[in-house]
Amino acid sequence: MNLPPKVTPRAFERLAEINAAGTGKALRVAVEGGGCSGFQYDIALDEPKDDDLILEGGGQKVVVDSVSLPFLANAVIDFSEELIGARFVIENPNASSACGCGTSFSM
């Protein structure tokens, strides 16, 4: 069974810190062809569109377009802060392999 992606409370908290909802924007998570492993994630602040799946929490929104949704089934969207930097990350159980940077994967 394919479930929609889940967004962690930490990711919603980070969106609140950058005031995404205050600007009318949501975090868009998309999958595109390319990258060193075949597919790559595109993560950006964007306005929700009519065909988007909207995930809400803490007054914030994360959106996924209908084309990317099957690639992100059962995935977890999180926010990570490490010594090398802070970023939104995706734990994707559909990926059979990923590159070292974490933005590219294959299925």
Side-chain angles (χ1 to χ4, degrees):
M1 175 188 225
N2 287 338
L3 298 173
K6 177 185 176 223
V7 182
T8 65
R10 184 172 36 201
F12 283 127
E13 288 168 10
R14 180 61 180 143
L15 284 171
E17 288 173 10
I18 61 176
N19 194 26
T23 63
K25 306 242 176 177
L27 182 72
R28 175 169 301 282
V29 178
V31 175
E32 299 178 342
C36 54
S37 295
F39 295 100
Q40 62 187 1
Y41 299 112
D42 182 24
I43 300 173
L45 292 178
D46 193 12
E47 294 182 11
K49 296 185 172 74
D50 290 338
D51 71 334
D52 288 337
L53 169 69
I54 300 175
L55 306 164
E56 296 185 76
Q60 303 299 312
K61 295 179 182 178
V62 174
V63 296
V64 180
D65 65 86
S66 59
V67 174
S68 299
L69 193 54
F71 296 100
L72 295 168
N74 303 312
V76 176
I77 301 164
D78 196 6
F79 185 77
S80 173
E81 290 185 89
E82 301 171 357
L83 290 175
I84 59 171
R87 62 189 173 121
F88 288 97
V89 295
I90 299 166
E91 296 170 26
N92 191 341
N94 305 302
S96 60
S97 66
C99 69
C101 67
T103 60
S104 180
F105 68 100
S106 64
M107 295 181 84

